């Protein structure tokens, strides 16, 4: 889904693959030749996951997670490893 279809969720909901984006139904449904994504549920669950991730970052026990995030953002921003 991420590799082949992610742009469909942001653009026209049409891809060259067997993906159908809907506004209802289960978040993901698979058949032999088709993947169906409920964009509404996908978005809601993605927002929930981001909130959970932020809570983990803020947790006193989240040192390793914060360290990994800093490494990733340093790389993205072109900062040399320190």
């Amino acid at each position: 889904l991420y590799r082949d279809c992610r742009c469909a969720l942001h653009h026209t909901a049409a891809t060259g693959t067997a993906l159908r984006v809907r506004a209802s139904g289960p978040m993901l449904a698979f058949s032999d030749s088709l993947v169906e994504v409920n964009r509404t549920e996908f978005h809601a669950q993605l927002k929930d996951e981001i909130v959970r991730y932020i809570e983990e970052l803020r947790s006193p026990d989240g040192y390793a997670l914060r360290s990994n995030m800093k490494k990733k953002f340093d790389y993205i921003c072109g900062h040399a490893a320190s």
Side-chain angles (χ1 to χ4, degrees):
L1 181 66
Y2 175 81
R3 185 183 69 241
D4 295 333
C5 306
R6 68 186 179 269
C7 290
L9 297 173
H10 297 290
H11 299 292
T12 63
T15 67
T17 62
L19 172 74
R20 181 175 298 145
V21 178
R22 296 183 177 259
S24 62
M27 185 177 81
L28 291 172
F30 301 92
S31 68
D32 291 336
S33 61
L34 182 67
V35 176
E36 293 181 316
V37 179
N38 173 339
R39 68 177 183 255
T40 307
E41 184 63 24
F42 187 89
H43 182 252
Q45 288 195 33
L46 181 60
K47 285 189 341 183
D48 290 346
E49 182 61 22
I50 291 169
V51 167
R52 185 199 59 76
Y53 179 70
I54 291 169
E55 288 171 356
E56 284 188 36
L57 285 170
R58 289 179 174 158
S59 166
D61 297 328
Y63 177 79
L65 191 61
R66 288 188 300 274
S67 179
N68 290 339
M69 182 179 179
K70 182 183 181 313
K71 285 181 199 174
K72 181 55 119 177
F73 274 87
D74 283 347
Y75 176 80
I76 290 169
C77 295
H79 296 186
S82 51

